[in-house]
Amino acid sequence: DPEFPPDLSCLAINQEELPPIAKTVEWKRLPEVYKQKQLSLCSDKIGPNDVNQGKLKNCYFLSALSVLAEKREFVQRLFETKEVTPTGCYSVWICDSGEWKNIIIDDYIPCITKKNQLMPYFSRIKGNDIWVSLLEKAYAKLYRHYFTVHSGYLAEALPALTGAPVESLKYKSHKHLNFAEQLWNFITKNLEKGSIICANCHDNPLINAKQLGLITSHAYAIFDARVVQVSEGVTEKIIKLRNPWGHHEWKGEWGDKQPC
């Protein structure tokens, strides 16, 4: 792709600001990286667990992809190309400020060698489908460089992938109300409507986020919310979140290692 070539020019405007390791990446085609897999583009088997963040701090974008994958047809419609191509040329749709744009990309991705193993520097696939790496590249090409989208907001990523407007609920704007109730009503209402929901985790001096397994300045996908009966007459409201990093587990109540 002459407009987005597999070299340092597509990583950043100012290459001197790149992390040292980024300057050593090798560009490989996806079939070269995943030689042991029978690759597919965006099959009916895709899901939230396909999303695995790499060294690019674009959790906001990957969280949006993760929750979008719950409705796989929403992901599949972003691809004009429907199958893995031998040429590695793909046509992808991204919505830019309300206008759908067709982004043409190749399948070269930056890779590093770790423990004598070649691996993607940015997002990595878990199954056989390559849709995450391609959408990440198309979004980076729209903004001309990978590190231009190094950080951002869910309210930017979701419209780019859906073309739909975003409704936000911010803690500071509800400081005089019962925010927990406002939040629960917001989540359950939108889950019932089939909406795509994500969350940002911010610093709070009253909470030790790290001790709870939370990552601040980080984006999560919300998949479910339920009222659970703990004992007779006692219920709790719990929310199902996903971290696109694929690690850093919740350590509080209802966590995997907590007694139920």
Side-chain angles (χ1 to χ4, degrees), residues 8-9 11-23 145 147:
L8 293 181
S9 67
L11 290 186
I13 300 174
N14 186 353
Q15 296 171 20
E16 296 302 316
E17 296 179 354
L18 289 172
I21 193 172
K23 299 176 183 179
H145 305 90
F147 278 87

Side-chain angles (χ1 to χ4, degrees), residues 41 75-83 85 88-94 101-106 134-135 138:
L41 177 59
V75 177
Q76 291 169 336
R77 70 181 184 179
L78 296 175
F79 287 92
E80 188 72 24
T81 309
K82 299 303 181 184
E83 297 178 351
T85 67
C89 180
Y90 295 92
S91 173
V92 178
W93 290 100
I94 301 287
K101 294 183 177 179
N102 190 231
I103 312 296
I104 307 298
I105 56 171
D106 60 35
L134 293 178
L135 285 177

